[in-house]
Amino acid sequence: MATKKRSLSSSGNSLLPWLGIATIILLLDQLSKITITKLFHYGESMAVTSFFNLVLVYNKGAAFSFLSSESGWQRHFFTVIGIGAAIYIIYLLRRHAGQRMFCWALALILGGAIGNVIDRIVYGHVIDFLDVYVGRWHWPAFNIADSAICIGAILFVVDELRRVGK
């Protein structure tokens, strides 16, 4: 009796393209953060358009600076959550490698999650630098990893709505 062997690059349902997308997101995220930290001092801002600034800020918490004012335990907590999420996402990518939109969503989330985990491990905080605003109202500063996670979440919802609609 022949058994089907799973691999990273089995034909048709390869895991490699999705890991490649996650790696590209990770590299763009880390290179942009290295660049911004070389060009800016903490808190420094540069207007780019009437609704967008570049600014160097640090986030010790999670999304929207959630828990950023805590004593430091959150760094380890969010690092463990990020690593756990990455492992689970790789498992899902392996199981569903043929589902294109679902895997795009997961790959974007994976690249973003690992990008922010690297920041937490190396710096103790996440580096944010994109500042979008309307008038005096600013969204919390974010980075490429955060953007990839948000786009991945939107794709995930769209994929689920399409699946329910069938």
Side-chain angles (χ1 to χ4, degrees), residues 5 9 22-23 30 34 43-44 67 76 86 91 111 115 119 151 166:
K5 191 183 222 182
S9 61
T23 301
Q30 291 298 302
I34 290 167
E44 185 179 357
L67 297 177
H76 307 292
Y91 165 77
D119 283 11
I151 293 167
K166 288 183 181 180

Side-chain angles (χ1 to χ4, degrees), residues 41-108:
H41 297 288
Y42 178 79
E44 185 179 357
S45 178
M46 180 180 82
V48 178
T49 69
S50 62
F51 60 88
F52 174 69
N53 295 330
L54 291 175
V55 60
L56 177 58
V57 295
Y58 304 141
N59 182 358
K60 294 181 184 226
F64 307 109
S65 297
F66 176 67
L67 297 177
S68 64
S69 61
E70 292 297 314
S71 63
W73 62 266
Q74 71 276 20
R75 171 187 180 188
H76 307 292
F77 177 71
F78 292 128
T79 299
V80 169
I81 286 176
I83 292 168
I87 291 167
Y88 185 62
I89 288 170
I90 292 169
Y91 165 77
L92 289 174
L93 284 170
R94 183 175 285 242
R95 285 201 62 205
H96 303 281
Q99 296 177 21
R100 293 181 56 92
M101 188 176 296
F102 181 70
C103 288
W104 264 103
L106 291 175
L108 290 170

